[in-house]
Amino acid sequence: MRLLPPRAGFRRPLRPWALLAAVCLAVLPAGVAQASAPKPSLLKSGRLAVTSCPEPPLIDRGVPQPGEYLTAVMKCLNTSWSAHFARAGLRFRTPTVRLYSEPERRVCGMDWPQSADAFYCTERATLVFPLTGAWIEDRTDLYPLKVAAHEYGHHLQSLTGIRDHFKRRARADLSRQFELRRRYELQADCLSGVFLGSVRDSLPRTEQDWKTLSGTLHANGDEGDHRTHGTGANRVRWFERGYRALSPAACDTWTARPSRVS
């Protein structure tokens, strides 16, 4: 039996639930009634593709080549992460890189951080690398590559809003600022592990080289009251999480229990 359309001028009475829905839709801002697509997130961006990174020697026939080394490493980082961001629908911008033969008094509009091997200038999206210092001089191990990938991790955090979120939380709760800073730094350790794991098979390195890197990371943990980077054990733990997973999803330090970011 076919139902006839209602007569002209006739309106069915609204049921109570329909009336409530109509009222709610009327007062909601435009666009709220429809589910919006989730925003792309670094932590949900999938695995980093396995790629090749030709690592040049830091010392060639007795001649130090830190500038050539870092230039090659930055090319690998740009290639790998830009492709990853494109696949994930994330906006990418290549960082500026500045190499200094010696630390200077001021850089990026601020005093040169005395205790930093290398660093990232957030406001200017600039990676700063001195070509001297214990972090890179007379080294043949993986530590300079790890440092470069860690600082690049801070660039990724800035691009995806993670740093802004960290700063807001730190300002809102000063009692947790050092804990939050450790979460931020340990995430960069983890992201550096994601990259190094993705290029491992292309690096001319032995198993002992990787063990040496873990030992160096452990030795570079911080102690004391105002700790900003985490214990040596936690630095190794987060680096290895990223290294094994090859995915930023492994780097969610923000929901980790306090003992994992101590």
Side-chain angles (χ1 to χ4, degrees), residues 41-48 81 84 162 187 190-191 194 238 241-242 245-256:
S41 164
L42 179 60
L43 297 183
K44 297 179 180 179
S45 59
R47 287 165 61 93
L48 192 65
W81 283 112
H84 183 77
I162 292 173
Q187 184 175 55
C190 183
L191 292 171
V194 171
W238 284 104
R241 275 178 63 92
L246 304 187
S247 172
C251 302
D252 186 6
T253 56
W254 306 101
T255 60

Side-chain angles (χ1 to χ4, degrees), residues 90-211:
L90 293 164
R91 298 182 67 178
F92 181 81
R93 180 174 60 154
T94 302
T96 299
V97 179
R98 297 181 66 181
L99 306 177
Y100 288 84
S101 57
E102 294 283 348
E104 296 190 359
R105 190 176 66 83
R106 290 183 64 79
V107 62
C108 297
M110 65 180 186
D111 292 338
W112 188 289
Q114 294 300 314
S115 60
D117 290 333
F119 51 94
Y120 177 67
C121 297
T122 308
E123 301 302 324
R124 302 188 184 184
T126 298
L127 292 159
V128 177
F129 296 106
L131 302 180
T132 56
W135 81 279
I136 197 167
E137 280 188 284
D138 300 322
R139 301 193 79 112
T140 58
D141 60 0
L142 281 158
Y143 187 65
L145 177 55
K146 189 272 168 190
V147 170
H150 173 101
E151 298 307 329
Y152 204 99
H154 288 319
H155 180 62
L156 304 178
Q157 289 170 314
S158 290
L159 289 178
T160 54
I162 292 173
R163 179 177 173 83
D164 287 341
H165 181 65
F166 151 62
K167 296 296 286 185
R168 286 195 299 270
R169 291 179 65 180
R171 284 194 297 266
D173 189 352
L174 295 179
S175 66
R176 295 184 62 207
Q177 60 179 316
F178 291 108
E179 175 206 328
L180 293 170
R181 181 76 188 191
R182 291 194 299 273
R183 292 181 187 274
Y184 175 72
E185 293 291 347
L186 289 167
Q187 184 175 55
D189 276 338
C190 183
L191 292 171
S192 72
V194 171
F195 173 74
L196 264 69
S198 74
V199 299
R200 170 179 178 149
D201 290 343
S202 71
L203 300 176
R205 296 294 186 168
T206 66
E207 197 64 34
Q208 185 58 46
D209 286 321
W210 295 99
K211 290 180 180 178

